[in-house]
Amino acid sequence: MSEQLQRMRRVGADIAAKHAGSVDAEARFPHEAFAALKAEKLLGVMVPTELGGAGASISEVVALCHALGQYCGSTAMIFAMHQIQVACLVRHGLQSEWHRAFMRRLTSEQLLLGSATSEAGIGGDVRSSICAMEVQGARFKLSKNATVISYGADSDAIMVTARRTAESPASDQVIVPILKSDYRLEQTSTWDTLGMRGTCSIGYWLHGAGDVAQIMPLPYADISAQTMLPTSHLTWSSLWLGIATDAVARARAFVRAEARRKAGTVPPGALRLAEAVNLLQLMKSNVVAAARQYEAALASPELLTALSFAVAMNNLKTGTSQMAVQVVNHALLICGISGYRNDSDYSVCRHLRDAHSAALMVSNDRILANTANLLLVLKDDPGLFP
Amino acid sequence: MIRDVIREGGGLAVDIATLGDGDDLYAAGLTSHATVNLMLGLEEKFDIEFPDRLLRRRTFESIEAISAAVTELLDEKVAA
């Protein structure tokens, strides 16, 4: 296990797991876990070493999300969403002086990055914006009615999408990081949900400003296709796998305890446990294969914007999001009423509620519709290995 | 002919007649969803099939780029 992963395991077991219950019950930001993640310098791991980070690869970040997901789903989701923003900066901001300086600050001050991509009136399509950059000289202003800015109140900076100019079509977007000191948030909704209660995915009007140099140079369409989509699906899938892994760990412990009590007989839950472990392995293979595919494609913008790559990442998301619920449900059946109780060591209630968010956060139906559209032109791939 | 297909299937925010051959179609409002329509229209019009290696964003970024891809596929068809 890498030293980084050990530190993450420590934060997970000592802090995140301890507060997971109250974060969930009170639908509050996991302050304790993030103080610990910042103290362990885990927020800037992806930033290159010359800018103060650890130069972690996407696989390493995916492993960190997977580890944290085993202790607290909400904390892991916030960590993942932050890393997605960092990945965009690292992959597309290294040529720009402003973004290099920002990454240095991100690592030294352990800034937490939020994101404002969804907007009222666009029908959930984050590749469209209504709001636009208002540029005057070297400065810009921006107002966005964001339907969701997860952990917005606790972010240190927010990456915001908007149309390039007031004249640009809805799909011609840019993305810009705006610092906390340069924006004002007006809360427009609340967050009281079934699961993932700690992400505090509240709606806000965001009014921000900054220097034109802050605008990411590459169009958001490219950043989205090459980095934001694949990184989102990989980090999310891995933390969902983490949630499922912990549920199965509880089911394993339950079955072992049963077996010890009645030595010589195989407990009734053992067979279903075998099934759950089988599903978990499929889910894990899916995540690991997709992470390898992404890393193999990283050097080539051509490969990253290919339709076949988009379909593979879509499949990762829709597949693992469904399996997460399936696996946790198996764990619930195995643990029985002990799993159904909130006040038991074998409880998988929070796991199940958190896992149900997976198919909804970016709706699977929307992603499947996108895949369906791409399949109209994409040809069959008869090969086994890429 | 390519301009006709774009006019029908590209879903651009502006009139195609106002764009030059090298202009960025994505900046003119071409979405990835509409790119698929555009591809289908081109395949129908020119009786060609885009292989997977050409199914990427940059192939459709301008009329020039589309024209190069279509020409390449038509040449391959003649050679075959």
Side-chain angles (χ1 to χ4, degrees), chain A residues 327-357:
Chain A
V327 173
V328 178
N329 197 51
H330 267 61
L332 175 65
L333 293 174
I334 294 162
C335 298
I337 203 72
S338 298
Y340 194 68
R341 295 176 70 113
N342 282 316
D343 57 353
S344 129
D345 289 344
Y346 302 113
S347 174
V348 291
C349 298
R350 180 166 42 81
H351 302 70
L352 190 60
R353 290 187 288 103
D354 284 351
H356 270 296
S357 71

Side-chain angles (χ1 to χ4, degrees), chain A residues 294-311:
Chain A
Y294 183 45
E295 287 196 325
L298 265 184
S300 154
E302 285 291 282
L303 280 178
L304 292 175
T305 55
L307 299 190
S308 53
F309 179 74
V311 168

